[in-house]
Amino acid sequence: MRELTYYVGVTLDGFIAGPDDEVDFFPVTAAFADALGTELPDIQPAHVRAARGGASAAVTRFDTVVMGRRTYEPALQVGITDPYSQLRTVVFSRSLDDPGEANVEIVRTDPVARVRALKAEPGLGIYLAGGAGLAGVLLDEIDRLIVKKYPTIAGSGIPMASHPFAPTQFRLDEVRSFDNGCVVLEYSRQR
């Protein structure tokens, strides 16, 4: 069965963005971006892959990305209808129109049922790009976490997952630190 991996950047106090979706305060250095781009090229947006010279590189870890409307909309606002063209893209939204891309599926029904169906299909892993609402709905389906913990306190903003109180255990598998003070933590689900 395929695994669902939530890959996300988060502040020390648990926010993935500011109250108005700000993310420009996360400290990113060239070395950090290069390291993550090299380790996880599958989940780089298509324009980033192209800039790195890997636009046509085969995917090796993930072949599907799932996201909510608010995660997809920034690409739409700049005219990009298929931001992860190397991956099958599933967007959960009751309000978005179909963008007319063969590679992009708009799902208006239950995210849990659709993700379970995706997990049952053959293929590589599934990347959960966000956001907090979708991560909260899919919490029971998340098998792995890759958390970029930035050395920043935001004070308020959008949490890592919007979910009722329900402690959920993950096992720490790996820790790496980078030149920008970020620590990347990889976890697997404790079932």
Side-chain angles (χ1 to χ4, degrees):
M1 181 169 288
R2 299 166 76 190
E3 289 187 330
L4 178 64
T5 300
Y6 186 22
Y7 174 71
V8 63
V10 65
T11 63
L12 292 173
D13 50 350
F15 298 106
I16 62 173
D20 294 318
D21 294 327
E22 305 94 341
V23 293
D24 58 348
F25 60 88
F26 286 116
V28 177
T29 62
F32 177 67
D34 186 57
L36 293 183
T38 300
E39 291 176 20
L40 295 167
D42 296 354
I43 60 176
Q44 301 296 305
H47 72 280
V48 174
R49 284 172 56 95
R52 293 176 52 83
S56 61
V59 294
T60 58
R61 185 167 176 183
F62 299 97
D63 63 10
T64 304
V65 58
V66 297
M67 66 185 78
R69 176 192 51 82
R70 288 183 62 197
T71 300
Y72 183 62
E73 278 184 335
L76 286 179
Q77 291 170 355
V78 296
I80 300 171
T81 54
D82 190 2
Y84 295 93
S85 58
Q86 74 277 11
L87 303 175
R88 174 182 180 188
T89 300
V90 179
V91 181
F92 295 97
S93 172
R94 290 187 178 92
S95 61
L96 280 177
D97 293 329
D98 187 324
E101 293 283 348
N103 196 41
V104 178
E105 173 188 358
I106 304 296
V107 176
R108 292 167 173 49
T109 57
D110 178 27
V112 172
R114 185 66 186 112
V115 166
R116 285 180 179 163
L118 289 169
K119 288 172 83 171
E121 294 174 0
L124 299 174
I126 303 163
Y127 159 44
L128 171 57
L134 184 58
V137 168
L138 294 175
L139 184 60
D140 290 340
E141 297 304 315
I142 296 172
D143 301 293
R144 300 193 61 73
L145 296 169
I146 302 175
V147 179
K148 298 175 292 183
K149 191 85 162 177
Y150 289 94
T152 305
I153 293 177
S156 68
I158 299 169
M160 189 172 155
S162 295
H163 193 273
F165 182 76
T168 304
Q169 300 298 314
F170 288 84
R171 180 186 68 235
L172 181 63
D173 295 326
E174 187 175 348
V175 178
R176 290 170 292 138
S177 59
F178 292 87
D179 67 330
N180 61 343
C182 187
V183 178
V184 176
L185 307 154
E186 293 199 35
Y187 296 91
S188 55
R189 180 65 171 254
Q190 293 291 280
R191 297 208 188 264

